[in-house]
């Protein structure tokens, strides 16, 4: 009798673990939805006004960008659902449920939505790929700030920073930050300037600012991988 | 004879891994390390070394199949836990105090090792936050499990 109980218990446990493995994408989506619904309730910063403001700034950049005449075609991208996140706090990496069999290759830029840069494919397996996001502490890329295109270096992290901004450059809170690194589409949106660090001392050459990206990496349910780039 | 509870403990352990992989619980962008806390509860509960090793090996295989990109940090964490299990002796005389110290020390050591491996910054403030979260989660786990009463029979 006892051995029967053991066999049943081990069998049921094995079925549960096997189910987790087989339906991992469904489970990933399920967890992501729960995560987003939690954030929606608890994030005080999120409001409809903030959303509208982001929409306005996005429309402004798209209309002023030299490449904005090109329509946003879905076929430019491969859409992939976010499956899981790097499980610890020292990095910001994602696993997406598309891999080499879907045409993903290392280095492809990853967008959160049309023209909004969120990361880059770092490694690829047959059915999954790993994406390094701009929240990763190892992320470095060149960016331009505002309509004047002031040059800066984006340093990733839990709160990404804009560094190496010329000391006298007229950077203002709310300026839009776009990509100028050749590794990603030119003028892809990254975020806006959140705050400017105290003006540097007279001898200093650079100033720094903090960035608010358009996406919180925890909110991402799916991403768009840019095909055929560069 | 195999203890039936191990099968269910293993399922629970795997479910914790899944929650960890989706970072379901986050406070201010910092996620507690459920895997570390659960394994340390097993350590202070005096889970047999053989069973504990099988658990960790199972967790490694599961991680490889479920989300295989991050094996290095998982291996480092599991090795740390294995070392702690094999050399654990109560060093304060109070099991709960041992547990609290282990949670703090392992959280900080794991982060330090990972920052060495990846060459990333070691940001002590966020690591201390994580250690406190781990301690809070561990204390709840302690109340639920009550390690002194958690007697397991060997294989």
């Amino acid at each position: 009798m006892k051995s029967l109980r053991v066999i049943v218990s081990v069998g049921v446990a094995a079925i549960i673990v096997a189910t987790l493995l087989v339906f991992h994408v469904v489970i990933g989506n399920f967890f992501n939805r729960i995560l987003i619904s939690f954030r929606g309730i608890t994030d005080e910063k999120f409001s409809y006004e903030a959303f509208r403001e982001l929409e306005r700034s996005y429309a402004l950049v798209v209309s002023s960008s030299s490449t904005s005449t090109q329509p946003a075609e879905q076929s430019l991208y491969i859409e992939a659902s976010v499956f899981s996140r790097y499980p610890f706090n020292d990095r910001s990496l994602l696993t997406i449920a598309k891999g080499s069999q879907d045409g993903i290759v290392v280095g492809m830029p990853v967008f959160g939505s049309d023209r909004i840069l969120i990361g880059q494919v770092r490694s690829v397996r047959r059915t999954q790929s790993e994406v390094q996001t701009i929240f990763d502490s190892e992320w470095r890329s060149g960016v331009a700030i505002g309509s004047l295109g002031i040059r800066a270096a984006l340093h990733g992290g839990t709160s990404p920073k804009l560094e190496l901004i010329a000391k006298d450059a007229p950077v203002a809170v709310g300026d839009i930050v776009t990509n100028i690194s050749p590794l990603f589409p030119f003028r892809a949106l990254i975020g806006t300037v959140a705050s400017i660090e105290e003006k540097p001392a007279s001898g200093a050459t650079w100033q720094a600012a903090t960035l608010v990206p358009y996406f919180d990496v925890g909110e991402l349910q799916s991403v768009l991988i840019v095909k055929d780039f560069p | 004879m195999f203890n039936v509870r191990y099968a269910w403990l293993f399922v629970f352990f795997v479910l914790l891994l899944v929650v960890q992989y989706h970072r379901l619980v986050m406070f201010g962008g910092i996620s507690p390390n459920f895997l570390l806390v659960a394994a340390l509860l097993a350590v202070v509960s005096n889970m047999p070394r053989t069973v504990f090793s099988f658990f960790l090996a199972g967790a490694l295989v599961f991680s490889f199949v479920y989300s295989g990109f991050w094996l290095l940090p998982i291996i480092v964490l599991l090795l740390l836990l294995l070392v702690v299990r094999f050399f654990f002796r109560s060093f304060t005389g109070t099991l709960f105090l041992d547990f609290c110290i282990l949670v703090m020390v392992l959280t900080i050591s794991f982060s330090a090792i990972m920052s060495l491996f990846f060459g990333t910054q070691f940001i002590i403030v966020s690591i201390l936050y994580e250690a406190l979260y781990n301690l809070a989660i561990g204390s709840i786990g302690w109340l639920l499990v009550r390690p002194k009463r958690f007697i397991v029979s060997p294989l």
Side-chain angles (χ1 to χ4, degrees):
Chain A
M1 196 62 192
K2 195 177 176 187
S3 60
L4 182 69
R5 223 174 52 196
V6 170
I7 291 166
V8 170
S9 290
V10 171
V12 173
I15 288 169
I16 292 172
V17 174
T19 309
L20 287 171
L21 290 173
V22 172
F23 296 104
H24 63 280
V25 174
V26 181
I27 292 163
N29 288 337
F30 170 74
F31 274 102
N32 282 330
R33 282 197 197 98
I34 294 176
L35 196 65
I36 290 163
S37 56
F38 268 137
R39 293 280 161 73
I41 296 165
T42 57
D43 192 352
E44 292 168 5
K45 285 182 288 185
F46 182 81
S47 67
Y48 183 68
E49 287 73 28
F51 174 71
R52 293 292 298 164
E53 183 56 39
L54 282 177
E55 265 197 340
R56 275 195 291 274
S57 61
Y58 171 65
L60 182 73
V61 168
V62 168
S63 64
S64 64
S65 165
S66 59
T67 54
S68 65
T69 48
Q70 190 182 14
E73 292 172 18
Q74 199 65 21
S75 60
L76 294 172
Y77 307 117
I78 301 168
E79 187 168 4
S81 59
V82 173
F83 166 57
S84 70
R85 293 173 169 76
Y86 178 78
F88 307 113
N89 294 308
D90 54 319
R91 305 295 304 265
S92 180
L93 309 167
L94 303 172
T95 310
I96 54 171
K98 289 276 166 71
S100 57
Q101 69 177 16
D102 306 291
I104 309 287
V105 293
V106 172
M108 280 179 159
V110 178
F111 285 0
S113 69
D114 188 32
R115 299 181 55 77
I116 298 181
L117 182 70
I118 194 77
Q120 185 182 31
V121 175
R122 223 174 72 125
S123 54
V124 180
R125 298 174 87 194
R126 197 172 58 83
T127 57
Q128 294 180 347
S129 306
E130 183 193 37
V131 173
Q132 180 187 31
T133 77
I134 58 171
F135 296 93
D136 187 64
S137 54
E138 291 300 289
W139 181 278
R140 304 280 189 283
S141 64
V143 293
I145 304 170
S147 53
L148 295 174
I150 297 159
R151 301 290 195 259
L154 172 62
H155 184 177
T158 316
S159 69
K161 271 187 153 186
L162 299 163
E163 295 173 339
L164 303 178
I165 307 167
K167 189 178 76 173
D168 300 321
V171 178
V173 171
D175 279 356
I176 292 160
V177 178
T178 54
N179 170 67
I180 53 167
S181 162
L183 296 174
F184 313 109
F186 186 65
R187 291 291 191 184
L189 296 168
I190 296 175
T192 55
V193 175
S195 64
I196 298 154
E197 291 186 359
E198 272 185 40
K199 283 285 174 193
S202 56
T205 317
W206 311 107
Q207 57 175 323
T210 55
L211 173 90
V212 181
Y214 287 115
F215 281 99
D216 178 349
V217 78
E219 292 169 1
L220 288 171
Q221 263 191 291
S222 64
V223 293
L224 302 169
I225 298 111
V226 182
K227 289 195 286 190
D228 303 326
F229 185 84
Chain B
M1 189 59 197
F2 185 82
N3 192 321
V4 177
R5 272 180 298 185
Y6 294 145
W8 296 112
L9 277 176
F10 184 68
V11 169
F12 180 66
F13 198 59
V14 166
L15 285 174
L16 280 183
L17 254 178
V18 174
V19 170
Q20 188 83 42
Y21 272 121
H22 294 281
R23 303 193 69 168
L24 190 62
V25 184
M26 274 214 254
F27 308 99
I30 295 171
S31 163
N33 193 335
F34 291 103
L35 187 60
L36 183 140
V37 171
L40 283 182
L41 277 172
V43 167
V44 294
S45 301
N46 203 25
M47 176 181 271
R49 289 171 179 175
T50 335
V51 180
F52 189 74
S53 308
F54 275 123
F55 267 39
L56 298 190
L60 188 62
V61 172
F62 182 84
S63 296
F64 177 73
V65 181
Y66 191 76
S67 195
F69 288 102
W70 305 312
L71 274 189
L72 176 69
I74 293 284
I75 289 170
V76 169
L77 181 62
L78 298 184
L79 279 177
L80 271 176
L81 291 167
L82 201 62
V83 168
V84 170
R85 174 63 194 98
F86 272 78
F87 296 100
F88 176 69
R89 298 279 182 280
S90 180
F91 44 87
T92 63
T94 310
L95 216 48
F96 182 67
L97 202 55
D98 294 338
F99 173 70
C100 293
I101 293 168
L102 280 177
V103 167
M104 296 298 282
V105 169
L106 275 196
T107 305
I108 294 166
S109 330
F110 174 63
S111 301
I113 293 170
M114 290 327 297
S115 64
L116 277 177
F117 264 124
F118 288 129
T120 52
Q121 287 174 318
F122 182 74
I123 304 164
I124 190 70
V125 179
S126 64
I127 291 160
L128 284 177
Y129 270 124
E130 185 193 331
L132 289 176
Y133 290 151
N134 289 346
L135 209 53
I137 300 279
S139 303
I140 296 167
W142 184 278
L143 288 173
L144 294 175
V145 176
R146 293 176 182 274
K148 271 184 181 173
R149 294 183 192 174
F150 185 67
I151 299 159
V152 285
S153 58
L155 275 172

